[in-house]
Amino acid sequence: MLLPRTFYIRFPLKKRILYNVYVLVPSVNKHNSKTVISKFTVIWLGERGMSRHVALETSLFSFLIFSSLLSGIIHPVMSAPTTITVPDDYPTIQGAINNANNGDIIFVRSGVYHETIVVNKAVSLIGQDQATTIIDADGARTAILINADNVTVSGFTVQDTRWFELLVQSSYCLLSNNTLIECREYPIYLDGSVAHGCCNTVTNNTILNCGDAGIVVWEATGNCITTNVVKDNVFGIWLYGDANLNLVEYNNITDNEDSGVVLIICSNNTLAHNDIIHNGWASDIFQSGIALTVGSTENQVVSNYVATNRIGIFQNGFSNDNLVYHNSFINNGIQVYDVPGSLANNIWDSGYPWGGNYWSDYNNTDLLRGPYQNITGTDGIGDVPYSIDSGNVDHYPLMKPYAPSF
C-alpha cells in the first residue's frame, strides 16, 4: 500500500524559523495490467500548526527531484553490505577500500596506521576506539581525502598532517566521533569549490591544537556542524565564499587564538546554541567570538553564549541584515566592535515580545512593558534600548542571560 509521505522543512527567515509541512500523496493507475505511480499530489499544509493548505499535482520525475532536495539524496538499491576488517582481511585501510563495494563497512581495529587514504567509494570507515584507532599521516599533505558521496568516517584519531586531516570534496558524508590533532592547517575542510559540497554532517568531533581553523566550510552549502569541541586552534569554525545555508549549532568553541566563528562573503547561515568562550586573546585579526565580515548578510545568530572573548561580535565590510537575538553577551572585552566606516547595519532583536539579547553591561531597569515600554509592569525586557552605535540598536534588551548550551 502506498502511503503519503510527510516532510517538515526548516526555512530561516529574518524574524524566526518557520517549519512547513509537506505531504506527498502517490496516485496510481493501471498500465499493462500493472499498478504504477503516475503522479504525486504535493500538499503544503503551511506553517506547522496552521490549517491552510494548497495542493499541486506533479509528475513522478518532478517528485523525485523534489524528494531528493528534501531528503538529501535518492538512495540506489544496494545489496546487503559486507563488513571488511582491518588488519584481519587487509593490512591497510586503503587496501580495504580498494577491495570494497559501495555500501560496505570497513571496521578498523585499534592500532596506529601510518598511511594516507583516498575514499572514492560510498563506504563506512569505523574505528574500534576513538582514542586508540589512530591514522598518522606522518606529515603528509592530507590524511583522508573523501571524493565519493555517502561516506562515513567515525571513531578515529587523525594526526600529523601538513594541510588537511579530513578533506571532503563530496556530499552527504558523515564525520563523527573523531579526534583531530597536530594539524598544521585545517583539520576538517568541506571543499565546495571542487564538488557541490552539500549536506555533509560534522558532529561530535574534538579538534585541538591546530595551526589554522578547526573546521572550514569553503563554498559549500547545506552542511550541519553540530556538537563539536573546537579548542586551542588559531580559528574555531570558518565559513567562506558562498558557504550558504549551513547550520552551526551546539558546538563548544573555546580558547582559540583569534576567533571562534568567522563568516566571510556568505549568507543565510544559522549559528545557534553554541558556547563561544574566551577567543581572540592571542591574535590581532578579528579577535572575537563571532566575526561577520566582508559582505556576509542575512545570517542568523541565535541563542549563543558569547562570553569573555576579546570582542563579542566583530563586524565590518557591508555585513548587513544579519539577525542577532536571544544571545548572551557576557563580560567580553568589547561587546560589539564595528570597524569605522564599514557600514555594517544588523538587526539586534526579534521584536516584541520575543526580545533581543542579554548584555552584561546593560544597567537599566525593567519597570515597564509593551512594544513601546510605556505600560507599567515588568516583562523581562529593559525599558531603554541598548545602543551599540548609530546604526545598530537592540530595541528590546533582555534582563537575564540565557543558560549556556552545555
Side-chain angles (χ1 to χ4, degrees), residues 228-239:
N228 302 283
V229 174
V230 188
K231 183 177 181 180
D232 291 324
N233 308 287
V234 175
F235 298 93
I237 299 174
W238 194 313
L239 280 63

Side-chain angles (χ1 to χ4, degrees), residues 32-53:
N32 294 333
S33 300
K34 296 181 179 180
T35 299
V36 298
I37 300 172
S38 61
K39 61 188 177 183
F40 284 78
T41 300
V42 182
I43 302 176
W44 173 56
L45 299 180
E47 188 178 348
R48 185 161 56 190
M50 298 174 63
S51 60
R52 65 175 184 265
H53 70 274

Side-chain angles (χ1 to χ4, degrees), residues 75-79:
H75 293 278
V77 177
M78 298 181 184
S79 59

Side-chain angles (χ1 to χ4, degrees), residues 84 97 145 151 179 225 248 262 316 343 376:
I84 301 170
I97 294 170
L145 167 62
V151 169
T179 299
I225 315 297
V248 179
V262 179
N316 75 352
L343 302 178
T376 301

Side-chain angles (χ1 to χ4, degrees), residues 178-401:
N178 301 292
T179 299
L180 301 115
I181 55 176
E182 299 175 17
C183 178
R184 295 171 182 82
E185 296 291 337
Y186 311 110
I188 294 179
Y189 197 97
L190 307 183
D191 185 3
S193 67
V194 174
H196 55 284
C198 169
C199 310
N200 298 292
T201 299
V202 179
T203 184
N204 290 320
N205 300 284
T206 300
I207 304 169
L208 305 172
N209 301 309
C210 294
D212 208 294
I215 300 173
V216 175
V217 182
W218 187 278
E219 298 183 9
T221 60
N223 301 283
C224 182
I225 315 297
T226 180
T227 58
N228 302 283
V229 174
V230 188
K231 183 177 181 180
D232 291 324
N233 308 287
V234 175
F235 298 93
I237 299 174
W238 194 313
L239 280 63
Y240 182 88
D242 294 326
N244 304 325
L245 298 169
N246 298 287
L247 175 63
V248 179
E249 66 173 356
Y250 294 108
N251 299 284
N252 190 323
I253 307 165
T254 59
D255 294 315
N256 297 286
E257 292 180 11
D258 191 273
S259 295
V261 183
V262 179
L263 279 65
I264 300 179
I265 323 175
C266 54
S267 301
N268 295 300
N269 299 286
T270 298
L271 279 58
H273 306 288
N274 300 287
D275 283 353
I276 305 172
I277 301 171
H278 203 259
N279 301 283
W281 292 100
S283 184
D284 59 0
I285 304 174
F286 303 121
Q287 312 168 49
S288 60
I290 300 169
L292 304 171
T293 69
V294 194
S296 291
T297 62
E298 298 185 345
N299 299 285
Q300 290 195 75
V301 180
V302 183
S303 300
N304 299 284
Y305 186 82
V306 185
T308 65
N309 302 282
R310 190 170 183 176
I311 299 170
I313 288 190
F314 175 102
Q315 57 181 24
N316 75 352
F318 299 97
S319 293
N320 299 320
D321 297 322
N322 298 289
L323 176 59
V324 183
Y325 72 102
H326 287 183
N327 303 284
S328 297
F329 293 100
I330 297 177
N331 297 331
N332 297 289
I334 301 172
Q335 299 283 48
V336 180
Y337 180 72
D338 189 358
V339 174
S342 70
L343 302 178
N345 295 303
N346 292 303
I347 304 162
W348 297 89
D349 62 76
S350 192
Y352 192 86
W354 296 279
N357 304 278
Y358 173 79
W359 308 91
S360 61
D361 56 344
Y362 181 79
N363 295 316
N364 280 288
T365 59
D366 177 23
L367 302 175
L368 303 172
R369 60 184 175 85
Y372 301 102
Q373 295 294 289
N374 59 355
I375 304 170
T376 301
T378 63
D379 56 4
I381 292 173
D383 299 333
V384 178
Y386 181 89
S387 179
I388 299 164
D389 58 36
S390 60
N392 294 276
V393 177
D394 185 343
H395 297 93
Y396 300 105
L398 303 178
M399 297 301 294
K400 294 182 180 180

